Structure formats: structure tokens, C-alpha cells
Amino acid sequence: MSEKSSSVYQERTVQNFLKDGNLSDIFEKILAGERLSREDGIRVYQSDDLLQIGYLADLVKQRKTGNYVYFINNRHINPSNICINRCKFCAFSRDKEDPDAYTMSLDEIMEAALESAPRGITELHIVGGLHPDLPFTFYLEMVKGLKEALPHVHIQAFTAVEIDYFSRISGLSTEGVLRQLKDVGLGSLPGGGAEIFSERARKKAWEKKISGSRWLEIMRTAHKLGIKSNATMLYGHIETIEERIDHLLSLRRLQDETRGFQAFIPLAFHPKNTELSRLSFTTGRDDLKTLAIARLMLDNFDHIKAFWIMIGIKLAQISLAFGVDDMDGTIVEEKITHAAGAETPEAISKSALIKSIKDAGRTPVERDTVYNVLKIYN
């Protein structure tokens, strides 16, 4: 953004913001580059002025990444939907005996990866259930085989929940598991499994899953080994606004310590086919506000990602004016959110992603997993 246009932008922001005196002190903090407190975050969530919140988030985004919006050419693989946890909020998991339970063989996983290679993917994103029978060596062989077949492709795999499970079934420490996976080709961890760190919510909806403190401990270990990761927050179910802000603050504290998080990704809860199906889907308003507040609260995160699979490509496009600077990727095959009622496509072409970003007035930037710039589409 030029100096002149930046000045006009700030003037416009001030004029709009002054309409809501309750947030004027927060606006001053953001202009001064000061960190927002827990109380600030709660107050912003309680504000009804979505456009002003969006302006503030976009101001922070412009400072960090200018007009750039990132995306990646990637493919998702979910090796199995069999999971011993069977969390109430999850529509993807199955018991072994269920007719639609599946487990891909190593050959089938390899075939899926190689199918996408001609499209020039730079990342394989792999997450699955906690399978009761597969040994840790299965996952080591999977990563090793994929890396040998596609050495130029970054492997981002296994949530912190899976890493904890590997530790339990192998008898290795968390560090031991991560070191072995890194040695055979693991590049980074996705951010899944964090859900909401609130123990109150966890006991009600996913009592078997690792605690929030354990999730943070695993990420801390990964970061200290030089393994980057993303961070997520599942919102729109039984959590409170205060619990959302506390979740963000926990992530912010760990990021201060390790600097290992690359991006934060709010994940909108999809209730269909879950034990929480009585709940409603999130609204567009809540989606945009949550993305914007994440941008405001997580001042030490470089990137805020709108996962278009969950909120739709059109709302993700709008979110680029609400603090978002990453649209995620081409995906190819997404099963977890669609099992819970997502009506979005399971893939998008690179050209469609580029057009969506350009139509929003932003500059598309193709990146790799660790945010090296591959191409700028001016």
C-alpha cells in the first residue's frame, strides 16, 4: 500500500471507529501497535459493529503482509476413519465394525499421492483417526515412502492428538516420536486437535481426547525440534466467548516462547451427523468476527488462514477484508468436514483460487508450506 493510500485508509478507519466509543481505547492500542488484553478481546467480541472490527483487523493485516494473500497447491489424504476416541463432535470417525469404516494400505496412500504429482502439488496434508491396530512403524513407513517418491513435496502430517497416540502405542517419548518422524521426512505438523482448550468444554464433547495443556506441550516439543506447525480453534459449538479468548491467549503465550506457529486457522463447527447435531451451523457474521478478532489478538502470528472448505469460498473471499491473508489450498479431497455436513466442493483449482483473490482486490501469492514465495500473480 502506498503512503498516500495508507493515510486515506487510516482516516477512513478513524471516522468509522469513532462511531463506537466503547472501543475507542482499543483502536488507539491497535494504532500504537500495543497488545490487546483478555478484557479487550471479550469487549470486541461483544461489539455489534462488525465492519469496524474488520477495518481494525485489516489494518493489522496490511502492516504484516501488505496486499498479499497466500495460497498453496496441495492435497489432503486421510488414511483411515477408524478412531478409538469417537468424539461427540466428530462425524468422520468410525468403529472397525462399521460398514463404512476404511483404512488405506500403504500402496493406496502412495497411489493417492502420486495421482496429484502431475498437478505440481508442493504439500501433502495427512491426518486420520487413532487406529487401534496399526503400529507406529506403519506411519514411519508411510512418511518415508512418500518422501522417497516425492522428495520435492513437503509432508505436513499428524495432529498433536495423533503424535500423543503414537507415543502411547510405541512406548517412545513425544520427542522420540517426533525425531523419528522428522528423520524419515516429516516436514511440519498441522494445527488440528486443539479444539477449545477449556476443560469444561472438553469434558462435555471430547472427554477421551488429550487435554489442552498436552496439545500445547506437544507443539512446544515440536517447535524446539525445529518442526513448525499451525494452530487451530474449533468454534461455534458449546464454548463461550471467554473460552475462545482464553484459547487465543494460550496460543499467543506459546508463540512468544517458541515462535513455531506459522498460521492460525479458526475452524467453524459443522454439527451434521454428530452427537451435537442439535446445534446450528455458525453464521457468516460469527465466522468473519472470529477471523478478525484472531488477527487482532494474535499479534505474534504472521498469518491468519480462512479454511474455505469450512466457510465457503465466497465468505473466505470476503474475509480478506477482515484480517485474513491466507486462503489455504487446492485440497483435492477433503473428507472430515464433509462428513459433518459441509456443502463446499472437496477441491478447487489453482486458477479459481487466484481469480477469487484477485477479484477481492488482493495480490495472490503461491507459497510452499513454510511460506516461501513460489510465485506472485500480479
Side-chain angles (χ1 to χ4, degrees):
M1 179 181 286
S2 68
E3 185 175 341
K4 181 179 179 181
S5 60
S6 177
S7 176
V8 171
Y9 177 88
Q10 290 197 5
E11 183 179 347
R12 185 186 64 175
T13 305
V14 170
Q15 290 172 351
N16 283 282
F17 190 87
L18 289 179
K19 294 176 183 176
D20 188 347
N22 291 331
L23 298 179
S24 59
D25 57 324
I26 293 175
F27 175 59
E28 294 298 333
K29 279 188 172 183
I30 292 169
L31 278 186
E34 295 177 15
R35 173 166 282 186
L36 299 188
S37 68
R38 180 177 189 271
E39 291 69 28
D40 293 335
I42 292 170
R43 283 174 54 201
V44 177
Y45 249 125
Q46 291 171 338
S47 170
D48 290 328
D49 200 329
L50 180 63
L51 291 182
Q52 290 194 46
I53 296 170
Y55 285 149
L56 293 175
D58 193 43
L59 179 62
V60 176
K61 179 258 185 278
Q62 293 287 344
R63 286 173 176 168
K64 287 184 172 288
T65 57
N67 205 46
Y68 285 171
V69 170
Y70 298 87
F71 72 94
I72 189 167
N73 188 4
N74 64 349
R75 177 184 175 118
H76 283 209
I77 297 177
N78 306 120
S80 176
N81 63 353
I82 297 173
C83 183
I84 61 171
N85 273 3
R86 301 306 312 272
C87 299
K88 294 177 182 176
F89 73 91
C90 178
F92 174 69
S93 67
R94 295 290 185 275
D95 293 322
K96 279 199 306 184
E97 299 76 18
D98 289 337
D100 54 349
Y102 76 89
T103 301
M104 299 170 71
S105 67
L106 290 175
D107 287 342
E108 289 171 330
I109 293 169
M110 180 65 70
E111 183 181 354
L114 293 177
E115 278 179 356
S116 299
R119 294 191 302 101
I121 62 167
T122 60
E123 175 190 273
L124 287 170
H125 179 108
I126 305 171
V127 297
L130 308 185
H131 199 289
D133 301 326
L134 296 177
F136 179 48
T137 52
F138 175 89
Y139 303 96
L140 289 172
E141 290 176 28
M142 178 176 72
V143 174
K144 183 180 181 183
L146 291 172
K147 196 62 183 175
E148 288 177 350
L150 300 168
H152 60 287
V153 173
H154 183 106
I155 299 176
Q156 182 174 80
F158 311 128
T159 65
V161 179
E162 292 171 276
I163 297 298
D164 173 81
Y165 185 62
F166 297 160
S167 176
R168 284 190 276 148
I169 63 176
S170 68
L172 296 168
S173 65
T174 301
E175 182 173 331
V177 166
L178 289 166
R179 283 189 183 279
Q180 289 201 21
L181 287 170
K182 184 180 180 183
D183 286 346
V184 296
L186 177 71
S188 61
L189 300 181
E195 321 312 359
I196 282 283
F197 293 146
S198 159
E199 288 306 311
R200 180 199 65 82
R202 301 182 89 85
K203 287 177 181 176
K204 287 189 174 182
W206 50 88
E207 66 274 10
K208 293 182 181 178
K209 186 166 279 189
I210 61 173
S211 66
S213 59
R214 176 64 173 152
W215 187 96
L216 291 164
E217 176 190 340
I218 290 170
M219 289 303 183
R220 179 181 291 108
T221 303
H223 295 171
K224 289 182 177 177
L225 293 175
I227 301 172
K228 296 284 188 179
S229 77
N230 292 326
T232 60
M233 176 178 74
L234 185 70
Y235 68 96
H237 43 91
I238 60 172
E239 86 287 2
T240 65
I241 294 303
E242 289 77 8
E243 287 168 341
R244 292 188 192 185
I245 294 298
D246 288 340
H247 184 100
L248 296 177
L249 293 178
S250 293
L251 293 175
R252 192 169 76 180
R253 284 192 290 271
L254 183 57
Q255 182 74 329
D256 278 343
E257 178 185 335
T258 68
R259 294 285 169 179
F261 290 122
Q262 298 188 111
F264 174 71
I265 314 158
L267 302 176
F269 176 60
H270 283 55
K272 191 175 179 181
N273 302 323
T274 75
E275 292 187 46
L276 301 179
S277 59
R278 67 184 186 281
L279 301 177
S280 302
F281 284 82
T282 60
T283 65
R285 181 181 182 80
D286 193 18
D287 295 330
L288 289 176
K289 183 184 276 190
T290 300
L291 286 160
I293 291 173
R295 181 61 289 165
L296 296 176
M297 295 299 296
L298 298 177
D299 59 341
N300 52 4
F301 277 62
D302 289 336
H303 306 286
I304 302 296
K305 183 187 295 186
F307 191 40
W308 65 264
I309 283 282
M310 285 192 160
I311 64 172
I313 194 69
K314 291 182 179 178
L315 191 60
Q317 185 186 40
I318 298 300
S319 76
L320 302 183
F322 286 76
V324 168
D325 74 301
D326 194 311
M327 291 273 281
D328 199 77
T330 50
I331 307 295
V332 176
E333 185 179 23
E334 201 284 334
K335 295 180 179 177
I336 297 174
T337 310
H338 285 82
E343 297 180 351
T344 52
E346 289 192 35
I348 189 171
S349 68
K350 188 166 82 172
S351 60
L353 264 180
I354 292 170
K355 183 177 187 305
S356 179
I357 295 168
K358 281 190 171 182
D359 286 351
R362 306 296 185 178
T363 303
V365 178
E366 186 173 359
R367 63 169 176 86
D368 64 13
T369 307
V370 292
Y371 285 87
N372 291 311
V373 173
L374 303 180
K375 185 174 181 179
I376 300 172
Y377 295 84
N378 289 308

